[in-house]
Amino acid sequence: MKKIVLLLAGVMLSTHVFAAGNPDDPWEGFNRKMFTFNDTVDTYTLKPIAKGYRAVTPDPVERGVSRMFSNVGEVVNVFNDLLQGKFRQAGNDTGRFVINTTIGLVGFFDVADHFGLQKNDGEDFGQTLGVWGVDSGPYLVLPLIGPSTVRDGPARIVDRFINPINEIDHVPTRNQIYGAEVISTRADLLEAEKFVRGERYSFIRDAYLQRRKFLLTDGGVEDDFGDYKDF
């Protein structure tokens, strides 16, 4: 999910976890084991908590909380907009952050949209590296995080460092906010599960890789999976 966890390179080099098949997924054996681990953790912890959160939280409040975390993410968007030379988009995203943080009550309301500042699909450092010519590398399932690639996994560290939540000095408070973000994100993804068809591992892998290509090319390839970036 949102917590940063890195794999040791030595684990990935174990030849017995390599499997032939999808050229984007040469480590399928290992990835499937990690997928099963993540799915088990999710089934018995995050998913029940997310369902409980959705059951007791009024829809307007739930959407407002989700928008608040999305508003915080605009800082990461602006940072990567600038690194990619998307200066007009950086201006749009900066305006959204300023307006929604002030008039929109820390992003609880998306006031900026009414000013013509529409929300973009989002930018992250993995996309920035892609724009700079860094290949995505093989598909990789990270523990407790889920779908990623060799390029995108470590890039998450940069995005997390830029995230304003990381600037909160009081560690318990910071961890509680990160925990709330994870629960809010998981609750948002409950609806995405109804789109999963066929073999779950393959579907989620293909959806993730297609979505990443869509984001990297700014819509230059077809994306059948809409706003559901992670599963």
Side-chain angles (χ1 to χ4, degrees):
M1 307 302 289
K2 296 294 183 178
K3 184 179 179 182
I4 296 300
V5 180
L6 293 178
L7 293 177
L8 295 176
V11 175
M12 296 187 297
L13 293 176
S14 299
T15 56
H16 69 279
V17 301
F18 288 6
N22 189 312
D24 293 323
D25 189 9
W27 301 327
E28 184 173 342
F30 170 82
N31 286 334
R32 283 184 177 275
K33 291 181 177 65
M34 190 55 62
F35 174 83
T36 300
F37 169 77
N38 288 344
D39 202 42
T40 301
V41 172
D42 178 69
T43 298
Y44 292 103
T45 56
L46 280 179
K47 189 173 182 178
I49 294 173
K51 285 184 174 180
Y53 167 75
R54 171 160 284 188
V56 302
T57 307
D59 288 345
V61 175
E62 183 182 338
R63 289 193 294 268
V65 171
S66 180
R67 285 192 294 264
M68 289 174 68
F69 286 118
S70 178
N71 182 60
V72 171
E74 295 288 7
V75 175
V76 178
N77 290 338
V78 172
F79 173 78
N80 286 289
D81 287 337
L82 295 173
L83 290 180
Q84 295 175 34
K86 299 178 180 178
F87 302 115
R88 178 175 296 181
Q89 184 168 306
N92 178 90
D93 295 345
T94 299
R96 284 185 54 80
F97 178 73
V98 172
I99 292 174
N100 286 339
T101 299
T102 54
I103 304 176
L105 302 180
V106 200
F108 191 87
F109 300 101
D110 189 357
V111 181
D113 188 61
H114 299 288
F115 285 84
L117 300 174
Q118 297 183 349
K119 182 171 179 56
N120 295 305
D121 287 318
E123 304 290 345
D124 55 59
F125 196 64
Q127 294 177 61
T128 296
L129 291 176
V131 170
W132 291 352
V134 179
D135 187 75
S136 68
Y139 177 70
L140 181 63
V141 181
L142 296 173
L144 304 180
I145 294 177
S148 188
T149 64
V150 170
R151 179 192 66 204
D152 294 343
R156 294 170 184 258
I157 298 175
V158 176
D159 292 329
R160 181 61 72 187
F161 181 76
I162 298 300
N163 194 310
I165 298 175
N166 198 52
E167 297 302 313
I168 299 175
D169 292 329
H170 191 252
V171 175
T173 300
R174 183 173 67 230
N175 290 341
Q176 288 172 10
I177 294 176
Y178 276 137
E181 182 183 18
V182 169
I183 294 171
S184 176
T185 300
R186 186 61 183 90
D188 289 342
L189 292 174
L190 288 173
E191 292 297 321
E193 295 181 350
K194 66 183 180 182
F195 292 98
V196 177
R197 297 290 185 272
E199 203 266 321
R200 184 175 170 82
Y201 171 84
S202 298
F203 181 94
I204 292 176
R205 176 194 62 200
D206 296 344
Y208 175 82
L209 293 175
Q210 181 173 327
R211 178 65 178 171
R212 293 302 291 175
K213 290 178 181 178
F214 175 86
L215 293 173
L216 183 60
T217 60
D218 292 328
V221 297
E222 184 178 354
D223 174 32
D224 296 328
F225 301 98
D227 294 329
Y228 299 112
K229 304 173 186 178
D230 299 294
F231 291 85

